[in-house]
Amino acid sequence: MSDSHKHRKAIINRLAKIEGHVRAVKEMTQEGRDCNDLLIQLAAIRSAIDGCGKLILKDHLEGCLIQAVRTGDEEEVLMQLNQSIDKFIR
């Protein structure tokens, strides 16, 4: 793990919470819970995933991108960043 990823622990914690939330929604579905309840929970999961994605992007900008500029690899990193953003935000 690179030291330039200062948000990694927070990202891992958020992903663990998301994982638990998804598991809970699966159980709710198996129990036959109301569709409205399931949709509300799915919206909360989507929001949590978006928040995690923003934190990963922040980590990338504050760490990887800064390092790339310092080493002269900014064009390649910017291309990869644009590709990642295009895939994440559809």
Side-chain angles (χ1 to χ4, degrees):
M1 288 188 196
S2 173
D3 292 334
S4 66
H5 296 98
K6 67 181 180 181
H7 301 289
R8 189 177 304 268
K9 180 73 172 154
I11 292 165
I12 291 168
N13 290 341
R14 285 178 182 223
L15 289 170
K17 288 179 184 179
I18 291 167
E19 182 180 26
H21 204 151
V22 170
R23 208 174 303 114
V25 172
K26 180 181 175 186
E27 291 172 8
M28 289 173 63
T29 304
Q30 290 170 334
E31 295 167 1
R33 296 280 295 271
D34 184 68
C35 293
N36 288 327
D37 292 340
L38 295 173
L39 290 170
I40 290 168
Q41 294 305 314
L42 288 175
I45 292 168
R46 184 182 320 137
S47 177
I49 290 171
D50 287 345
C52 191
K54 288 176 189 175
L55 195 55
I56 291 170
L57 178 59
K58 185 176 182 177
D59 216 13
H60 185 63
L61 292 173
E62 293 175 357
C64 303
L65 199 57
I66 297 298
Q67 185 63 29
V69 168
R70 288 182 182 146
T71 60
D73 296 333
E74 58 269 357
E75 285 186 38
E76 176 67 21
V77 172
L78 282 173
M79 183 189 72
Q80 290 176 1
L81 175 61
N82 281 320
Q83 289 174 349
S84 296
I85 290 172
D86 288 343
K87 289 177 183 175
F88 183 71
I89 302 171
R90 291 185 182 221

